[in-house]
Amino acid sequence: MTSNATLRLEDFIQAVQSQLDNAQSAMAMKARNLNLPLTFAIKDINLDLRAHVEFINSEIRIRPAGADEKEASVFHLVFTVITRPAIEENAVSFAEDPDDQSLEELDGDLTPDERKRLEWAGVRTVKQFQDAHDRGTVSTIGRVTNLPVERLRKALERASTPLVHRVEPVSPEEEDDQSGPPMIRISGRNLVRKGLFPKVRIDGKPVSILKSSPGELLISPTADQWSGELSVEAAPRSALAMSFDLTNFAPPPEMESLTEAAMPAAATAQYYGSSDGTIASPPKAELPS
């Protein structure tokens, strides 16, 4: 790296850690292959670094000082060993849900500097942002990060908008009860908001919801609802609409009476739910023989 180049402080520390990890792996390999009862390791490392400190886009960056630069700062870094339990106990917890959105997806609503300020406040994913809104702490985050509260709320509203990836029929082989009504699976994101039940309509007519989670809706449409405009409303002022056509998978006319018989029980599924917004399966309907 030239004397004019800058490096993020976290990247510098990660680079040193990576090389120390490689040295540790080499020692372990040597001990295993050579059957050494004793080898040597470095317990602590002290490092003095002469560099200029710069603040760019809410990040601390360091620029190594040249031989003739007298005004450089001196970093005194001490590296010591840390065990895995200590890392897991003290490290920042990142999202484990693969469907969780990172703050990078707020690129059109928040600048990189604003997203970095949210990370400083402990908000690293959209779900954490939504949880903060549900707890009523968005105003507190705004004060801590010095960001306009209304701007944060608008960004969260856009990030929480439902998104549909797929609309597909459910084959009877996928369900334990193959005598139940024909169903359609809606896969996507933000389909359910915590504490709220979604509303699904096709061409303006309500559709029964059998199961629901933030990433999937299982609906039971009537025979005339296998095509048209699909509307999913996860919360007030948070909805999407799209067109779909699954008429080739619609049930034959002779199944219409069975579907209608199952509808009353299916409709009650909208009232079976938990605090996280997940709707359970409804009681099974008794179909006429």
Side-chain angles (χ1 to χ4, degrees):
M1 185 171 65
T2 65
S3 60
N4 292 326
T6 61
L7 181 69
R8 295 189 306 174
L9 182 60
E10 60 199 83
D11 290 341
F12 170 76
I13 294 177
Q14 289 286 357
V16 176
Q17 287 178 339
S18 176
Q19 289 178 288
L20 292 176
D21 289 341
N22 289 338
Q24 177 178 298
S25 298
M27 286 189 292
M29 185 177 299
K30 181 173 63 175
R32 284 194 298 264
N33 295 337
L34 300 180
N35 296 320
L36 295 178
L38 179 67
T39 189
F40 297 91
I42 298 174
K43 180 180 179 181
D44 298 313
I45 294 180
N46 295 334
L47 177 65
D48 289 335
L49 175 68
R50 293 182 63 252
H52 297 278
V53 182
E54 299 178 2
F55 196 70
I56 303 174
N57 294 330
S58 300
E59 294 177 338
I60 297 177
R61 292 177 176 266
I62 57 175
R63 178 169 57 85
D68 57 343
E69 295 183 278
K70 306 298 183 183
E71 303 298 326
S73 301
V74 177
F75 283 86
H76 183 67
L77 304 176
V78 178
F79 291 84
T80 188
V81 296
I82 183 171
T83 61
R84 177 175 177 175
I87 293 176
E88 294 175 345
E89 179 181 353
N90 295 283
V92 175
S93 177
F94 290 92
E96 297 180 357
D97 185 355
D99 295 327
D100 199 358
Q101 305 162 260
S102 71
L103 293 183
E104 296 295 329
E105 300 198 27
L106 301 179
D107 182 54
D109 301 286
L110 298 175
T111 66
D113 179 72
E114 291 170 334
R115 297 197 302 271
K116 181 67 68 175
R117 290 177 182 273
L118 284 177
E119 291 184 4
W120 290 349
V123 179
R124 294 177 175 269
T125 67
V126 173
K127 185 178 184 301
Q128 290 175 332
F129 204 176
Q130 292 169 338
D131 291 342
H133 179 270
D134 295 337
R135 294 193 304 268
T137 58
V138 173
S139 297
T140 303
I141 293 176
R143 290 195 300 270
V144 171
T145 59
N146 198 28
L147 296 175
V149 175
E150 191 60 29
R151 181 173 172 81
L152 292 176
R153 285 177 176 157
K154 288 183 178 179
L156 178 60
E157 183 177 336
R158 288 175 58 88
S160 303
T161 300
L163 179 65
V164 171
H165 295 149
R166 292 191 308 277
V167 179
E168 57 189 356
V170 178
S171 62
E173 291 76 13
E174 297 182 48
E175 296 297 318
D176 296 333
D177 183 10
Q178 298 185 14
S179 63
M183 292 175 288
I184 291 177
R185 177 183 292 109
I186 303 172
S187 303
R189 193 169 61 196
N190 300 326
L191 301 178
V192 174
R193 291 288 299 276
K194 185 176 181 180
L196 299 173
F197 295 112
K199 297 178 182 179
V200 178
R201 294 180 176 86
I202 296 178
D203 285 341
K205 295 172 56 179
V207 184
S208 296
I209 302 175
L210 303 182
K211 295 180 182 178
S212 178
S213 67
E216 182 180 280
L217 297 176
L218 200 60
I219 63 175
S220 176
T222 59
D224 61 343
Q225 290 183 316
W226 286 76
S227 65
E229 184 181 75
L230 171 68
S231 171
V232 178
E233 182 179 336
R237 298 185 300 176
S238 181
L240 68 84
M242 60 173 290
S243 297
F244 79 105
D245 188 351
L246 293 177
T247 51
N248 291 337
F249 300 93
E254 58 268 19
M255 292 189 61
E256 176 68 10
S257 59
L258 297 179
T259 302
E260 291 178 349
M263 282 296 292
T268 62
Q270 300 180 58
Y271 302 99
Y272 291 83
S274 59
S275 59
D276 64 356
T278 301
I279 302 173
S281 300
K284 296 185 185 300
E286 293 293 337
L287 298 181
S289 57

